Amino acid sequence: MGINNLRLTSELIAALYPESLIDGNEPVPLTENVRTSTKVAKTRIAYPFLGGNNRSICFLADYQEGDFLPAGQLVFLQKMIAACKYNLNDIALLNIARIPFDLAELRIRFNPRIIFLWGILPAAVGLKSGLPDFSVTLVDGISVIPVSGPDLMSVGSPEGIELKHRLWVCLKKLFAL
């Protein structure tokens, strides 16, 4: 006999429920107006991204010309994350040049613990301006690192080498390398 075929006697039901299941009083009329609401679906922003976001690390770029980054910068970025013992599956690279950007939506969709502003000013993504380049600043529980001049770092100029050095010092602190 399965539970669906279980028969209870009236005595057993009375023993299980000693209190009355039915209130003999008339129901109290509602005095509140009942309002029904129609749910309005919030339009989600489609964030195309490169990578797997396995480690909740976002790189935000702003390039009108390409899908994500110019080839030289993408190669540099891959070498940089490889030096930190990560790969493209660990990060999410977003080009926010042609999409409306919303930091709150980014937090919901990607749950980042680290955000690199790859050549983007903090004010452009709704953060306070004046965050120092190549430094880790905690913003609402997220480590934010502004990276200026990523286009210079992908070439071998003296200025690019200096920027690479500053970035590496920051990465060593951030990832305990």
Side-chain angles (χ1 to χ4, degrees):
M1 175 189 294
I3 194 164
N4 291 333
N5 298 324
L6 191 63
R7 302 278 186 225
L8 299 176
T9 64
S10 56
E11 292 81 23
L12 184 57
I13 293 174
L16 289 173
Y17 301 100
E19 300 292 320
S20 176
L21 292 177
I22 301 172
D23 186 9
N25 298 332
E26 291 294 318
V28 179
L30 291 175
T31 57
E32 293 182 24
N33 292 333
V34 178
R35 284 186 252 159
T36 59
S37 63
T38 306
K39 284 190 175 185
V40 178
K42 182 180 177 185
T43 305
R44 293 269 182 191
I45 300 169
Y47 285 116
F49 67 98
L50 180 65
N53 196 35
N54 292 337
R55 303 279 178 112
S56 299
I57 301 171
C58 289
F59 284 80
L60 303 181
D62 186 1
Y63 290 95
Q64 292 289 336
E65 296 82 34
D67 289 334
F68 296 102
L69 287 178
Q73 284 193 38
L74 185 58
V75 169
F76 172 72
L77 177 64
Q78 288 175 310
K79 288 179 182 178
M80 181 196 80
I81 60 177
C84 297
K85 299 180 179 35
Y86 294 105
N87 60 44
L88 277 178
N89 286 327
D90 296 321
I91 70 164
L93 172 60
L94 291 89
N95 185 359
I96 62 169
R98 293 183 295 261
I99 58 172
F101 181 77
D102 182 15
L103 185 59
E105 183 71 19
L106 178 85
R107 291 181 73 161
I108 292 168
R109 298 276 308 278
F110 293 94
N111 193 27
R113 60 182 183 88
I114 301 171
I115 296 176
F116 285 89
L117 301 177
W118 201 249
I120 296 177
L121 295 173
V125 293
L127 297 172
K128 66 179 181 176
S129 58
L131 296 178
D133 285 340
F134 305 106
S135 66
V136 181
T137 305
L138 203 61
V139 177
D140 295 330
I142 300 172
S143 297
V144 177
I145 302 96
V147 178
S148 65
D151 49 339
L152 294 174
M153 287 188 271
S154 60
V155 296
S157 70
E159 186 180 358
I161 292 170
E162 172 61 28
L163 292 174
K164 283 182 196 179
H165 176 70
R166 291 179 60 199
L167 177 61
W168 181 244
V169 169
C170 175
L171 293 173
K172 287 192 318 186
K173 289 178 187 175
L174 182 65
F175 295 117
L177 301 172

